[in-house]
Amino acid sequence: MSPEQFREEGKKIIDWIADYYENVEKYPVLSQVKPGEIISSLPENPPQKGEAMDKMMRDIEEKIMPGITHWQSPNFYAYFPSNTSFPSILGDLVSSGLGVQGMIWATSPAATELETRVLDWLAEMMAMPEKFKSKSTGGGVIQDTASTSALTAIIAARERVTKFESNEKGVQQKLVAYISTQTHSSLEKAIKMAGIGKENLRLIDVDKKFAMKPEELDTQIQKDKNAGFVPFFICGALGTTSSNAMDPLRKIGEIAQKENCWFHIDGAMSGTAMLCPEFRYLMDGVELADSFVFNPHKWMFTNFDCDVFWVGNRNELIHTFSILPEYLKNKATESGAVFDYRDWHVQLGRRFRSLKLWFVIRHYGVEGLQFHIRKHVELSQKFTKWVNDSDDFELFVEPPLNLVCFRHKKGDDFNMKLMNTINETGKIFFTHTKLNGQIVLRMSIGQTNTEEAHVKNAWDLIQNTAKSL
Amino acid sequence: MSPEQFREEGKKIIDWIADYYENVEKYPVLSQVKPGEIISSLPENPPQKGEAMDKMMRDIEEKIMPGITHWQSPNFYAYFPSNTSFPSILGDLVSSGLGVQGMIWATSPAATELETRVLDWLAEMMAMPEKFKSKSTGGGVIQDTASTSALTAIIAARERVTKFESNEKGVQQKLVAYISTQTHSSLEKAIKMAGIGKENLRLIDVDKKFAMKPEELDTQIQKDKNAGFVPFFICGALGTTSSNAMDPLRKIGEIAQKENCWFHIDGAMSGTAMLCPEFRYLMDGVELADSFVFNPHKWMFTNFDCDVFWVGNRNELIHTFSILPEYLKNKATESGAVFDYRDWHVQLGRRFRSLKLWFVIRHYGVEGLQFHIRKHVELSQKFTKWVNDSDDFELFVEPPLNLVCFRHKKGDDFNMKLMNTINETGKIFFTHTKLNGQIVLRMSIGQTNTEEAHVKNAWDLIQNTAKSL
């Protein structure tokens, strides 16, 4: 493909994307295809000869679009959002265009240094402790997902407590980690992957708001120490996935400090709210954390994947993950004057992901980001009020931010039927969870273009469908 | 940003990218900036108000471009390539535009099913064993990097040998893994991360061509078994990173099978050559492998990140990595009729990466891809001949594909000085390694637009600089 053809085809795709956003509400939010429907529409064998772009774009329209669940529809209320924005798409396009691989500083200094600067900006924007900034002892790095960041934190914690011996000899001590019963499943997965074992992961009970009970944490730690275990890692949630419960971070952090445990804060979705001063009380105690993760690719208008992982002590992280084969040696690394981000995480190769984050922050500005976050929280408060005012529905737990957990009073089966019936209309898409053994419906409000009219329509649809069932 | 503004700004960026490729040879290939130069050119504080796109694009030109090392220059011969192509950039743009998160089938059936189909196509295109296809017992999944795939393979192997007990109890047995002294550093890193410990990783000696000696592997395994260790994992390289050495995969595979070890093949760069029948002798024995990895983002014109990981038995993989919290339960998953790729790897969230791979395969067709791979191999053969014909330089090892390892006869210091002097001109960028304790220069020929004239100029520059030093 020549540059001239690229200009032509590229502009058509830009228009196609703009058209998509202008028409996104016309598609069913949840894809309505059956398993195997998409794959059976695609040729079984690869083409021997090259094909034209317009054929590919026609196939996107005809074969791929029916199998898309529209995360960028303003009527998407499922899971947590994974929202994006035009500036983010353009930043990502520049990254694809440049095609640099920033595994170490030398392989594209701008990829490393822009990432450092943008994550320092974010730390300032969210009033994070100084230690998380690159000028201090720590710093940030972009990873793919909060799952991978959790694994990174657990391995670094494992090395710190074993004085970097488990990297050498394997896991030998009886290490034990702590999360709540509500903590994200990725923590369990990471504990397994790191060779610690699920049996050495303690699930601490939660209170009525589904937040970890710190006194239970303390009790369990003492019990484990008496039994010869070595507590090494505690994860506190700044917003759990099921219900957006807020763990008491200060109390957990104090216990972590007393017990010499690595304290990891998982704010994958809700971390973004820290852009607004009025929500920062939720992270009271953050200065006690060793690591903090949040995903701009969830609620900060930055397209997937873009996960921010901060640590207070980068040397621990680098000591854990550093590998330096001869073929990657270079003057800048040897000088010690640069970050080689490959030593900050699992993988070696790195995409230039800070570009899209830079574009997003500069396009919106701090005030623009705050405006949109506040709007989503306000919409959630309105939805909460409608639920509270209704005779048929009940609020399950007071929402701290933008996730509303509610249910119809008629019980589990009715709620599941209600949700599935609505999702099958394609008009909105929302999902469920289980809390205290009960089915609970979740309205997760965070798509970039969701306005009050969308949320109102969703509530009308939910009410009317409930009446008609 | 409105759709209209996006159309306008997006088209400007498409033109900017086309201009970039038309002018890429005018930039110094290796960025010439000093540590801290880029970051100090960027504002210390984030903007409070939003900024216009043209200001951002001006900053890209003025502040970012000097810090770019141009992986997409036809004069880039460093490390391994990370090449791309216009169709790949466009496929990635569609992916950014759609913004779907394909963690499970239900969250965008097309993202899962297109990935399955495209990786089955690739398996066919590369004549991979049937078991790696989705219709059989295995299948493929796209990951970010070969490092992460190596970790995935090691953890799955660890679980298989411990009957999934180390996921539950942690690593307790004396597990031991085998690579060669030339195997990529990511394997050592993965062994550490998985809780096995570096002391339990055996580095098997290599022959004169830097390929693993299978008899030494066998001897070491017997020694370890006698000492009470449990051998569980062997990695064979289809092209090492230092010198592109080809391990004897059949012999290693036979030992792996006899000893009940997981056999992982790392073909990160060279795997792409399997598109051409004439190079497939290099993977003789591949049917003995449990997993195979290669990176279309290295040599197959697909922009970073895109790593293909195949397994022969997907159930082992899924059993190892599966986690199913209530909030991700859905009918399709429960039916068992779909793949939920989140269970095939480390992370949960997933970008729609098969789109760019689909665009690349369809744009080039099998024959087009073969044409370009063959061209790169031929250019390497020409460069090899020039080295062999020269009085001052010597070939270090016969190149099987597209990496030429050579050196000037004047010794290590001279070679390092030669390389650094040339890289500082910005005219080409190539790198070094150490083999048998000696500095060796590497010409890694695989950028999409590298033609004979580029390679000839590079050779002239190397010769002339050597004469002038």
Side-chain angles (χ1 to χ4, degrees):
Chain A
M1 189 184 289
S2 70
E4 282 317 305
Q5 285 172 302
F6 173 76
R7 287 177 207 271
E8 195 186 320
E9 300 297 343
K11 288 170 191 177
K12 280 192 231 165
I13 291 178
I14 291 289
D15 277 329
W16 183 87
I17 292 171
D19 292 346
Y20 172 62
Y21 281 85
E22 285 175 338
N23 294 294
V24 67
E25 293 187 54
K26 293 178 188 160
Y27 295 95
V29 189
L30 175 66
S31 168
Q32 306 289 311
V33 300
K34 300 272 172 298
E37 213 172 307
I38 303 294
I39 201 167
S40 65
S41 78
L42 302 167
E44 273 205 54
N45 303 105
Q48 290 300 307
K49 308 273 182 196
E51 296 180 279
M53 274 300 297
D54 57 351
K55 206 174 153 198
M56 276 121 88
M57 289 309 291
R58 206 159 56 232
D59 282 349
I60 293 266
E61 280 291 351
E62 291 170 9
K63 296 177 178 173
I64 300 299
M65 292 309 277
I68 296 293
T69 291
H70 299 274
W71 287 71
Q72 303 314 325
S73 165
N75 301 311
F76 183 96
Y77 306 104
Y79 313 108
F80 275 154
S82 180
N83 67 21
T84 187
S85 61
F86 287 135
S88 172
I89 294 169
L90 295 178
D92 213 21
L93 174 57
V94 173
S95 169
S96 297
L98 288 173
V100 305
Q101 205 271 58
M103 57 185 168
I104 53 178
W105 181 88
T107 63
S108 256
T112 293
E113 296 194 10
L114 182 65
E115 186 161 328
T116 304
R117 178 50 48 101
V118 167
L119 297 192
D120 281 347
W121 277 8
L122 263 179
E124 183 186 325
M125 291 160 70
M126 294 165 65
M128 298 300 287
E130 280 302 303
K131 67 175 176 183
F132 288 149
K133 294 184 185 169
S134 69
K135 280 188 180 164
S136 178
T137 52
V141 62
I142 298 178
Q143 304 219 26
D144 57 356
T145 61
S147 299
T148 309
S149 284
L151 176 64
T152 310
I154 285 170
I155 293 172
R158 186 192 76 189
E159 291 313 298
R160 185 171 80 179
V161 78
T162 64
K163 301 193 167 59
F164 302 93
E165 203 179 271
S166 54
N167 257 350
E168 297 303 316
K169 297 180 186 300
V171 179
Q172 294 186 317
Q173 296 181 48
K174 289 169 73 182
L175 304 179
V176 63
Y178 303 84
I179 62 176
S180 89
T181 56
Q182 295 296 310
T183 306
H184 192 265
S185 56
S186 57
L187 274 291
E188 178 191 320
K189 191 165 170 174
I191 281 289
K192 290 174 174 176
M193 291 189 286
I196 310 292
K198 189 181 165 184
E199 288 181 6
N200 302 311
L201 179 66
R202 306 283 180 257
L203 274 54
I204 306 300
D205 198 15
V206 293
D207 63 19
K208 273 187 290 184
K209 287 176 160 181
F210 305 99
M212 190 192 282
K213 290 181 180 167
E215 60 283 8
E216 300 254 336
L217 171 66
D218 202 25
T219 306
Q220 182 64 48
I221 290 178
Q222 304 319 320
K223 204 186 284 180
D224 285 328
K225 282 163 69 181
N226 291 336
F229 286 98
V230 180
F232 82 108
F233 177 88
I234 306 170
C235 176
L238 179 66
T240 61
T241 308
S242 258
S243 68
N244 211 15
M246 298 289 169
D247 283 337
L249 300 178
R250 177 167 299 284
K251 285 184 182 164
I252 295 173
E254 284 165 358
I255 293 169
Q257 208 156 53
K258 173 168 73 81
E259 302 296 346
N260 200 23
C261 286
W262 185 288
F263 181 32
H264 177 65
I265 295 180
D266 177 2
M269 199 275 293
S270 304
T272 298
M274 303 305 106
L275 290 167
C276 305
E278 68 270 31
F279 301 128
R280 289 184 195 147
Y281 73 95
L282 294 169
M283 68 165 180
D284 177 50
V286 65
E287 73 279 5
L288 301 169
D290 293 287
S291 54
F292 183 104
V293 71
F294 93 104
N295 293 342
H297 73 229
K298 280 198 165 66
W299 194 19
M300 216 187 89
F301 319 108
T302 308
N303 64 308
F304 191 92
D305 41 9
C306 185
D307 160 269
V308 171
F309 179 68
W310 279 302
V311 288
N313 182 340
R314 62 178 173 264
N315 288 339
E316 291 168 349
L317 192 67
I318 293 168
H319 195 152
T320 299
F321 290 99
S322 183
I323 293 275
L324 183 54
E326 181 67 31
Y327 46 80
L328 293 180
K329 286 183 182 167
N330 67 87
K331 283 185 197 171
T333 296
E334 278 158 28
S335 76
V338 300
F339 289 165
D340 288 325
Y341 276 129
R342 122 202 100 184
D343 293 332
W344 292 51
H345 52 39
V346 171
Q347 89 267 26
L348 170 59
R350 315 191 78 234
R351 185 178 166 92
F352 194 172
R353 285 185 286 209
S354 56
L355 273 176
K356 59 187 176 187
L357 200 48
W358 192 44
F359 274 33
V360 166
I361 295 171
R362 295 185 67 180
H363 169 79
Y364 285 97
V366 175
E367 293 175 12
L369 292 170
Q370 289 172 334
F371 171 83
H372 288 278
I373 297 303
R374 285 173 179 144
K375 191 181 70 180
H376 288 145
V377 175
E378 278 163 27
L379 293 178
S380 308
Q381 286 165 345
K382 282 187 179 158
F383 192 91
T384 300
K385 185 177 179 306
W386 299 332
V387 170
N388 278 329
D389 289 349
S390 138
D391 292 331
D392 302 333
F393 289 85
E394 59 191 5
L395 193 71
F396 204 81
V397 63
E398 201 63 43
L401 294 166
N402 61 332
L403 175 71
V404 187
C405 289
F406 68 109
R407 54 184 264 126
H408 195 281
K409 292 176 180 168
K410 276 194 188 159
D412 284 1
D413 290 350
F414 186 86
N415 276 286
M416 284 304 286
K417 196 176 169 190
L418 175 65
M419 182 188 81
N420 286 327
T421 305
I422 291 169
N423 286 342
E424 279 162 22
T425 67
K427 290 180 184 166
I428 69 169
F429 177 33
F430 67 136
T431 51
H432 78 287
T433 190
K434 219 175 231 178
L435 291 164
N436 291 343
Q438 287 186 296
I439 293 290
V440 175
L441 305 178
R442 298 166 77 263
M443 275 291 283
S444 167
I445 300 174
Q447 206 285 325
T448 316
N449 301 308
T450 300
E451 299 287 343
E452 182 167 347
H454 297 108
V455 181
K456 186 70 178 66
N457 283 341
W459 175 239
D460 290 346
L461 178 65
I462 292 167
Q463 278 186 304
N464 294 336
T465 310
K467 278 177 192 139
S468 74
L469 276 182
Chain B
M1 190 183 289
S2 69
E4 281 319 304
Q5 285 172 301
F6 174 76
R7 287 176 207 271
E8 195 185 319
E9 301 297 344
K11 287 169 190 176
K12 280 192 233 165
I13 291 178
I14 290 290
D15 277 329
W16 183 87
I17 292 172
D19 292 345
Y20 172 62
Y21 281 86
E22 284 175 340
N23 293 294
V24 68
E25 294 186 53
K26 293 179 189 161
Y27 296 94
V29 189
L30 175 65
S31 169
Q32 306 290 313
V33 300
K34 298 273 172 299
E37 212 173 307
I38 303 294
I39 201 166
S40 64
S41 77
L42 302 167
E44 272 205 56
N45 303 105
Q48 290 300 306
K49 308 273 183 198
E51 297 180 279
M53 275 300 298
D54 57 351
K55 206 174 152 197
M56 276 121 89
M57 289 308 292
R58 206 160 56 232
D59 282 349
I60 293 266
E61 280 292 352
E62 291 170 8
K63 297 177 177 174
I64 300 300
M65 293 309 277
I68 294 295
T69 290
H70 298 275
W71 288 71
Q72 303 315 324
S73 166
N75 301 311
F76 183 97
Y77 306 106
Y79 312 109
F80 275 154
S82 181
N83 66 20
T84 187
S85 62
F86 287 136
S88 172
I89 295 169
L90 295 178
D92 213 21
L93 173 57
V94 174
S95 169
S96 297
L98 287 173
V100 304
Q101 204 271 56
M103 57 184 167
I104 54 178
W105 180 88
T107 63
S108 256
T112 293
E113 296 194 10
L114 182 65
E115 186 160 328
T116 303
R117 178 50 49 101
V118 168
L119 298 193
D120 280 347
W121 277 8
L122 264 178
E124 183 186 326
M125 291 160 70
M126 294 164 67
M128 298 300 287
E130 280 301 304
K131 67 175 177 182
F132 288 148
K133 295 184 184 168
S134 69
K135 279 188 181 165
S136 178
T137 51
V141 63
I142 298 178
Q143 305 219 26
D144 56 357
T145 61
S147 300
T148 309
S149 284
L151 176 64
T152 309
I154 284 170
I155 294 172
R158 185 193 77 190
E159 291 313 298
R160 185 171 80 179
V161 77
T162 64
K163 301 193 168 57
F164 302 93
E165 204 179 270
S166 55
N167 258 349
E168 298 302 315
K169 297 179 186 300
V171 180
Q172 294 185 317
Q173 295 182 49
K174 290 170 73 183
L175 303 180
V176 64
Y178 303 83
I179 62 177
S180 88
T181 56
Q182 295 296 311
T183 307
H184 191 266
S185 56
S186 58
L187 273 291
E188 177 191 322
K189 191 165 171 175
I191 281 289
K192 290 175 174 176
M193 292 190 284
I196 310 293
K198 189 181 165 182
E199 288 182 5
N200 302 311
L201 179 67
R202 305 283 180 258
L203 274 53
I204 305 299
D205 198 16
V206 294
D207 63 19
K208 273 186 290 184
K209 288 178 159 179
F210 305 99
M212 190 191 282
K213 290 182 181 168
E215 61 281 11
E216 299 255 337
L217 171 66
D218 203 25
T219 306
Q220 183 63 47
I221 290 178
Q222 304 319 320
K223 203 185 285 181
D224 286 328
K225 281 163 70 182
N226 291 337
F229 285 98
V230 179
F232 82 108
F233 177 88
I234 306 170
C235 176
L238 179 66
T240 60
T241 308
S242 258
S243 67
N244 212 15
M246 299 290 168
D247 283 337
L249 300 178
R250 176 167 299 284
K251 285 183 183 165
I252 296 172
E254 283 164 358
I255 293 169
Q257 207 157 54
K258 173 168 73 81
E259 302 296 346
N260 200 23
C261 286
W262 185 287
F263 180 33
H264 176 65
I265 295 180
D266 177 3
M269 199 274 293
S270 304
T272 296
M274 302 305 107
L275 289 167
C276 304
E278 67 270 31
F279 301 128
R280 288 185 194 145
Y281 73 95
L282 294 169
M283 69 164 178
D284 177 50
V286 64
E287 74 279 6
L288 301 169
D290 292 288
S291 53
F292 183 105
V293 70
F294 93 103
N295 293 343
H297 72 229
K298 279 198 165 68
W299 193 18
M300 215 187 88
F301 318 108
T302 308
N303 65 309
F304 191 91
D305 41 8
C306 184
D307 160 89
V308 170
F309 179 67
W310 278 301
V311 288
N313 183 341
R314 63 177 172 264
N315 288 338
E316 291 168 349
L317 192 67
I318 294 168
H319 196 151
T320 299
F321 290 99
S322 182
I323 293 275
L324 184 53
E326 180 67 32
Y327 48 79
L328 292 179
K329 286 186 181 164
N330 66 86
K331 284 185 197 170
T333 297
E334 280 158 28
S335 76
V338 300
F339 290 165
D340 288 325
Y341 275 129
R342 117 198 107 186
D343 294 332
W344 293 51
H345 53 37
V346 170
Q347 90 265 26
L348 170 58
R350 315 191 77 234
R351 186 177 165 95
F352 194 173
R353 284 185 285 209
S354 56
L355 273 176
K356 60 186 175 188
L357 199 48
W358 192 44
F359 274 34
V360 166
I361 294 171
R362 295 185 67 180
H363 170 78
Y364 285 97
V366 175
E367 293 174 11
L369 292 170
Q370 289 172 335
F371 171 84
H372 288 277
I373 297 304
R374 284 173 179 144
K375 192 182 69 182
H376 288 145
V377 175
E378 278 163 27
L379 292 179
S380 309
Q381 287 165 344
K382 284 187 178 157
F383 191 92
T384 300
K385 186 176 179 307
W386 301 332
V387 170
N388 278 329
D389 290 349
S390 139
D391 293 330
D392 302 333
F393 289 85
E394 60 191 3
L395 194 70
F396 204 81
V397 63
E398 201 62 43
L401 293 167
N402 60 333
L403 175 72
V404 187
C405 289
F406 68 109
R407 53 185 266 127
H408 195 282
K409 292 176 181 169
K410 277 195 186 157
D412 284 1
D413 290 350
F414 187 86
N415 276 287
M416 283 305 285
K417 196 175 169 191
L418 175 64
M419 181 188 81
N420 287 327
T421 305
I422 291 171
N423 287 341
E424 279 162 22
T425 68
K427 289 180 185 166
I428 70 168
F429 176 34
F430 67 136
T431 51
H432 78 286
T433 189
K434 217 175 233 177
L435 290 165
N436 291 343
Q438 287 185 296
I439 294 291
V440 175
L441 305 177
R442 297 165 78 262
M443 276 290 283
S444 168
I445 300 173
Q447 206 286 324
T448 316
N449 301 308
T450 299
E451 299 288 344
E452 181 165 349
H454 298 107
V455 182
K456 186 72 180 64
N457 284 342
W459 175 240
D460 290 345
L461 179 65
I462 292 167
Q463 279 187 303
N464 293 337
T465 310
K467 278 176 194 140
S468 73
L469 275 184

